[in-house]
Amino acid sequence: PARRRAAGRQATRDAMRESDNHSRSGRGVWTAVATVAVSALALTGRAASHRAAGVSDQSSSLGAGRSRRGGWRERHDAWRPEEDRLAAAMRADPVYHRYLPTIYPGFDVNSDDWWHKPRGEVPSSGAANADDAGRDFDLPGLPPRRAGIPSTNDHRPGHGRPEKNKNKNGKKNQFKVCLDNGAGSWDVAFAKGIDNLFHPGVCFGAVEQNDCHASADVVIFNEHDFIWGGAHRNAARGGRIELPEKAHPSQVYVYFAHEAAGGFGAELRDTSFTSQFDYLSYVDRRRSAMWWPFGPSLRSLTDDFDVFRKRREERVPAIAWLATDCVEPRASILRSIADAFPVFSMGECLRNAPPPHGLPERGAVDPASHASFQRAMSDYMFYFAAENAGACDGYATEKVWMALSRGSVPLYFGTDDVYDLLPDRDAIVDLRKFDSVDAVARKLRAIATDDSEWAKAHAWRFRDPSTWPRGFRELLRATSTDVKYGVCDVLMKGPRGYRPSRERPRQARCDAAVKVLGRKLGG
């Protein structure tokens, strides 16, 4: 058996090298690994991949604690993998979600003490309606804006509070919001819940799109439109981005960005650009007014629970990867790992295997497409979740979070800040912590073959969510909350709670030349 496993590993390494040569030469010849990938969901393909990874295909025990006789073994933390304790917590506290910390303390849509104020009454369409019921959450931690449910923050006439800044429908602090160049200019692929920004509600009395600057209280700009759409570029000044002049002194400009400041989002490091906005919404919590992170939501975690608990032997012991661009250093990292452990690269970069049949396109963000994607990719034990711009402050993207949510252990390379947000430090394999490819391959084989190692990487999901690290629970609060609350909290508190963009330090560079797997990659 040992000789057969060694031969299988050598065959996989040879196939990966041959695949890399063919990929770079453009011949696109099928390799042995690609053949395995085609039948990855079939028993023969799964068994072949098990052998290539040095994993026994005779084991019938579950990595998450299933005994050979059936039934779940009780472990020291007493979790039961068939139970979704997060779903139970959500059912037990569907209004306040007290197991999550608040992230907008003191927010009150009806307060008279707002720093920014609308210029006049705005005909509001943001009251509770049937459409609201279809959204994930308004603000977990505050009573929802649902018909028939009173709000503890609702100061009605006769309650001793002056009734200022109310519109004709009786709601205070209702702003006319303009989406610069419209909702169609946004990249919504992995911006969870961003579509809530395009509809009235909370303090958004009305939302208009295109040619709406003149009458707006708040104008919201998005990074995708500047980078890929060429918005507001002055050709006479070398393509410099110059925003239109504000229509009135109290108008507020807000910028939403999701690209790495040291990569595609280089404009974030240009203070002449960022100073044109009043507030920045970005992934780096320390350098932006409103925190707009990547991450799972309560809804996506519960939706993905069935695939998360998929048995270890039902998964292919290989590293999956989908990428459209071969930026460094992540391409170099994967080439190194492929010499020691099976890799199925199914995107445009380093492709050696086809993607699963029916895998949704990148831009498909509807729940059915998300479920289809997670179900298909959960067939792989591991996912290569290296960031495309190296180690960037605060920049931990959907790559790591979607893999965690479906139970594919992420191989991670990126910011140290991810540890402030993870549900468990053992939930990822951090490639910077290994001094060689062989060392990380040994770790992957241990997770793929050892019940206790597999359980260690997955145990967080079966714990009481109130015991999850605070940073992860804050992340869930942020991603599960209607994004309008973040904008409205900024408008309420202004510079008393949030430093304007012009006063904030510019975004940090991304470090692409970091020592990983015993050598310096990128540059």
Side-chain angles (χ1 to χ4, degrees):
R3 286 194 296 271
R4 285 198 298 270
R5 287 196 295 270
R9 289 195 295 270
Q10 184 60 48
T12 299
R13 288 195 292 268
D14 293 342
M16 286 299 300
R17 280 193 290 268
E18 182 68 12
S19 172
D20 187 35
N21 291 336
H22 285 313
S23 176
R24 281 180 284 181
S25 67
R27 283 177 283 172
V29 179
W30 287 108
T31 66
V33 173
T35 303
V36 172
V38 172
S39 57
L41 301 184
L43 177 62
T44 54
R46 185 155 50 238
S49 185
H50 275 70
R51 290 192 295 272
V55 179
S56 171
D57 54 357
Q58 301 300 317
S59 173
S60 61
S61 63
L62 284 180
R66 183 97 181 195
S67 71
R68 294 177 185 272
R69 296 181 181 179
W72 295 99
R73 294 201 300 264
E74 294 293 334
R75 297 191 181 276
H76 67 278
D77 53 358
W79 51 262
R80 294 178 61 80
E82 68 269 25
E83 284 185 14
D84 186 351
R85 300 183 71 173
L86 174 60
M90 292 168 65
R91 288 193 298 269
D93 189 6
V95 174
Y96 293 97
H97 300 275
R98 294 177 181 88
Y99 52 90
L100 300 179
T102 184
I103 56 174
Y104 302 129
F107 176 76
D108 185 351
V109 73
N110 287 317
S111 170
D112 295 315
D113 189 27
W114 278 56
W115 181 269
H116 297 284
K117 302 180 186 298
R119 287 193 301 165
E121 293 184 347
V122 179
S124 174
S125 56
N129 55 54
D131 180 64
D132 281 343
R135 299 184 185 158
D136 278 8
F137 297 95
D138 291 312
L139 177 61
L142 294 178
R145 298 175 294 109
R146 303 285 185 256
I149 302 180
S151 169
T152 56
N153 294 316
D154 190 9
H155 303 292
R156 303 182 185 282
H159 284 209
R161 297 287 294 267
E163 299 300 311
K164 300 177 181 178
N165 297 329
K166 294 182 73 171
N167 66 9
K168 65 183 181 182
N169 288 331
K171 295 188 70 178
K172 290 185 179 180
N173 304 305
Q174 296 297 291
F175 293 77
K176 181 178 285 187
V177 177
C178 171
L179 298 178
D180 179 65
N181 288 333
S185 66
W186 289 67
D187 179 6
V188 300
F190 301 111
K192 196 171 297 297
I194 195 61
D195 57 312
N196 286 331
L197 195 71
F198 309 151
H199 306 283
V202 196
C203 73
F204 286 31
V207 178
E208 298 180 352
Q209 304 186 35
N210 303 312
D211 301 323
C212 49
H213 289 241
S215 60
D217 299 303
V218 179
V219 182
I220 298 179
F221 302 82
N222 79 90
E223 183 179 48
H224 183 267
D225 197 28
F226 288 119
I227 296 176
W228 312 113
H232 303 296
R233 292 191 179 272
N234 187 339
R237 300 189 63 183
R240 172 187 168 89
I241 299 174
E242 296 180 349
L243 302 187
E245 186 177 349
K246 287 186 176 183
H248 52 86
S250 62
Q251 196 169 52
V252 179
Y253 279 6
V254 180
Y255 186 47
F256 274 71
H258 248 181
E259 292 288 355
F264 293 122
E267 86 286 349
L268 291 165
R269 304 197 72 252
D270 182 357
T271 54
S272 67
F273 170 76
T274 57
S275 62
Q276 297 180 69
F277 301 95
D278 295 291
Y279 301 105
L280 170 65
S281 178
Y282 187 54
V283 296
D284 188 350
R285 201 171 187 178
R286 293 163 296 190
R287 293 182 175 86
S288 54
M290 176 188 160
W291 186 35
W292 186 38
F294 293 91
S297 68
L298 296 175
R299 181 67 52 81
S300 66
L301 278 180
T302 53
D303 286 349
D304 291 345
F305 184 67
D306 280 345
V307 295
F308 179 92
R309 61 182 179 176
K310 182 180 292 186
R311 299 186 306 167
R312 174 170 58 86
E313 63 269 25
E314 291 179 321
R315 301 180 190 249
V316 179
I319 304 164
W321 192 40
L322 284 165
T324 57
D325 40 60
C326 279
V327 296
E328 294 294 352
R330 64 181 183 177
S332 297
I333 297 172
L334 191 64
R335 284 193 187 98
S336 300
I337 296 173
D339 285 332
F341 199 84
V343 171
F344 292 169
S345 182
M346 298 171 282
E348 298 303 316
C349 179
L350 304 180
R351 173 177 281 202
N352 68 345
H357 178 71
L359 194 71
E361 296 292 329
R362 176 184 182 275
V365 296
D366 59 284
S369 295
H370 171 87
S372 178
F373 182 92
Q374 292 291 76
R375 184 168 53 253
M377 297 307 293
S378 69
D379 285 321
Y380 302 92
M381 287 188 182
F382 306 99
Y383 188 77
F384 188 61
E387 302 295 356
N388 62 9
C392 311
D393 290 349
Y395 193 69
T397 65
E398 80 290 339
K399 303 171 187 66
V400 64
W401 302 118
M402 291 183 71
L404 280 175
S405 187
R406 65 177 175 262
S408 299
V409 180
L411 274 65
Y412 187 72
F413 165 65
T415 176
D416 284 332
D417 295 336
V418 73
Y419 286 106
D420 296 332
L421 304 175
L422 284 175
D424 191 316
R425 297 177 74 91
D426 290 323
I428 67 172
V429 175
D430 190 336
L431 297 174
R432 294 169 301 172
K433 298 187 180 301
F434 296 87
D435 59 8
S436 69
V437 170
D438 287 340
V440 75
R442 285 194 296 272
K443 176 65 174 178
L444 300 182
R445 290 191 182 96
I447 294 173
T449 59
D450 189 312
D451 281 356
S452 62
E453 288 292 321
W454 179 265
K456 186 188 300 182
H458 294 81
W460 66 271
R461 186 60 180 85
F462 304 107
R463 297 184 183 124
D464 182 341
S466 66
T467 68
W468 288 342
R470 182 180 180 89
F472 183 60
R473 289 182 291 127
E474 288 179 339
L475 177 68
L476 288 177
R477 173 77 75 173
T479 55
S480 303
T481 297
D482 187 327
V483 69
K484 291 191 292 290
Y485 275 96
V487 178
C488 294
D489 197 53
V490 169
L491 295 174
M492 174 187 171
K493 297 169 184 174
R496 297 171 299 184
Y498 301 95
R499 289 171 62 188
S501 291
R502 62 181 175 276
E503 297 178 6
R504 287 181 173 270
R506 67 179 184 172
Q507 299 297 314
R509 288 185 183 276
C510 298
D511 188 359
V514 176
K515 191 173 183 180
V516 179
L517 302 179
R519 59 178 177 173
K520 192 174 183 180
L521 297 175

